Amino acid sequence: MIQGCENPQIEPLQRRAPRISYRIADAADALKESGTLALFGFGAGGPGCDDPRYLQVALECFDAPPSLEVWQVDAPVSCGTDGALRWSAGGGWLFAATELDEREHGGPTATAKLAYEQLHRFVGARGAQHVLRVWNYLGAINHGEGDAERYKHFCDGRAAGMGDFFAEGFPAATAIGHHGDVHRLQVYLLACDQGGIRVENPRQVSAWRYPRQYGRTPPSFARAMVLPAQDALAISGTAAVVGHASAHHDDLDAQLDETLTNLEALLASADMTAGFDTHSPLKAYVRHSTDAARVREFFRQRLPGVPILLLHGDICRSELLVEIDGWRYA
């Protein structure tokens, strides 16, 4: 016999993952659709939209016309701004983004610090405090030698600004160099009122354990994140890194093969079936525009039917030619 209880504890339903899609569409129409949490355009020719849910990402797309990236949730969405920060929320999910000019904030380290302080303060005041995924786009990411490289300055500033932001563990993340205004830093995130499960790659040293040769401050991210309902995997920027070392210097085809091996290892670590399909939107960041056709052909042959955005972006290590991130739905 089942015993009664005056105060039964009802487990909350796990939050269904946002639906991520790439499509050719009018931005205004996409923003009118029910449940649109965020919308992203790519490159310099954006629609000039002032809706807080819209962000024009400073990465050029190799496809013409460029697709929009749409995030949608199963709930009404509210949105607004808080100083330089824009946000939207619905169904337990939160999008927040900030865009800063380094010339106004003391250079790359101080600007990264400020960006993460802003996001930390804002998310900390919201109900959706579990940061699951972060994107970072900065100009001239590989400029400078040794510890003076701009990416290493960014890592220093990010760590200084996050404080205890990620006390429960690092989110999945991407950091890519754009070819727009060198002083422009864009950071945006996806958070939820329920936590996810962090995933590491057994083929790679965890990023926060990288040795000193990669900078004063190691990168701060998990390799992937299982979303709360275990219905999707958010995959961090993934490249041809084995252990902590870059593999196949300046060999695009070998780097693509190694990157795909790392992606499959992440799926296995997350207890997901192998392979990517038509419901697995991915982004490929390609360093040299002359390599875009070869990367597109790689996807056609090895990942047929997978939605792909090909973007012109520099990888955080100058010897790496391509990086892939995205989503895998269960």
Side-chain angles (χ1 to χ4, degrees):
M1 182 175 70
I2 299 174
Q3 298 295 319
C5 177
E6 290 186 3
N7 297 295
Q9 299 298 309
I10 300 174
E11 291 294 325
L13 293 175
Q14 297 299 302
R15 298 294 188 189
R16 180 183 171 190
R19 297 179 301 282
I20 313 297
S21 62
Y22 306 143
R23 58 172 117 148
I24 305 295
D26 179 76
D29 291 340
L31 289 165
K32 291 177 184 176
E33 294 179 15
S34 175
T36 297
L37 183 71
L39 182 69
F40 304 90
F42 297 90
C49 179
D50 59 2
D51 190 299
R53 296 171 295 166
Y54 181 83
L55 182 67
Q56 188 70 24
V57 175
L59 294 169
E60 295 293 335
C61 185
F62 287 114
D63 297 313
S67 295
L68 295 172
E69 178 179 351
V70 188
W71 295 2
Q72 293 180 304
V73 296
D74 297 319
V77 172
S78 59
C79 62
T81 59
D82 184 347
L85 190 145
R86 67 188 71 190
W87 63 271
S88 60
W93 294 96
L94 173 68
F95 159 73
T98 187
E99 185 171 12
L100 300 172
D101 187 324
E102 295 174 1
R103 291 167 294 192
E104 299 175 3
H105 302 290
T109 303
T111 305
K113 180 176 183 289
L114 176 60
Y116 274 81
E117 287 174 341
Q118 289 179 344
L119 290 165
H120 186 185
R121 182 170 57 251
F122 180 78
V123 173
R126 306 286 304 190
Q129 297 187 4
H130 301 278
V131 178
L132 305 178
R133 185 69 169 86
V134 182
W135 292 259
N136 309 274
Y137 298 126
L138 57 151
I141 193 170
N142 301 129
H143 287 203
E145 297 296 326
D147 285 345
E149 186 186 43
R150 283 175 53 80
Y151 175 61
K152 294 183 177 67
H153 281 294
F154 166 79
C155 288
D156 292 342
R158 171 172 55 181
M162 68 175 61
D164 63 353
F165 196 8
F166 307 131
E168 64 182 20
F170 294 123
T174 295
I176 288 290
H178 64 71
H179 294 161
D181 184 338
V182 68
H183 304 289
R184 184 181 185 188
L185 173 65
Q186 295 180 309
V187 182
Y188 62 94
L189 60 79
L190 176 68
C192 187
D193 61 0
Q194 299 173 346
I197 302 170
R198 288 154 189 82
V199 177
E200 291 300 306
N201 183 346
R203 303 183 77 240
Q204 297 177 317
V205 173
S206 294
W208 64 89
R209 293 178 175 155
Y210 279 175
R212 176 63 178 83
Q213 71 195 75
Y214 298 105
R216 292 176 296 265
T217 307
S220 306
F221 66 94
R223 298 292 180 186
M225 179 76 73
V226 178
L227 298 195
Q230 300 185 34
D231 56 348
L233 184 70
I235 301 170
S236 295
T238 303
V241 173
V242 181
H244 60 73
S246 302
H248 318 297
H249 287 215
D250 301 320
D251 184 334
L252 176 65
D253 295 328
Q255 286 190 21
L256 284 165
D257 287 339
E258 197 72 69
T259 301
L260 184 56
T261 299
N262 279 330
L263 292 171
E264 291 288 359
L266 283 172
L267 296 184
S269 293
D271 294 324
M272 302 184 86
T273 55
F276 293 85
D277 57 21
T278 57
H279 303 292
S280 306
L282 301 177
K283 291 191 188 80
Y285 305 95
V286 183
R287 180 179 293 277
H288 301 303
S289 58
T290 52
D291 288 338
R294 287 168 64 193
V295 175
R296 186 180 286 109
E297 180 63 15
F298 171 85
F299 275 88
R300 190 188 70 80
Q301 292 188 6
R302 300 289 298 277
L303 297 168
V306 171
I308 178 69
L309 273 181
L310 286 182
L311 300 172
H312 193 193
D314 293 337
I315 320 308
C316 64
R317 300 184 186 182
S318 59
E319 68 273 12
L320 294 176
L321 304 176
V322 65
E323 181 169 306
I324 297 171
D325 70 13
W327 307 85
R328 168 64 152 74
Y329 288 85

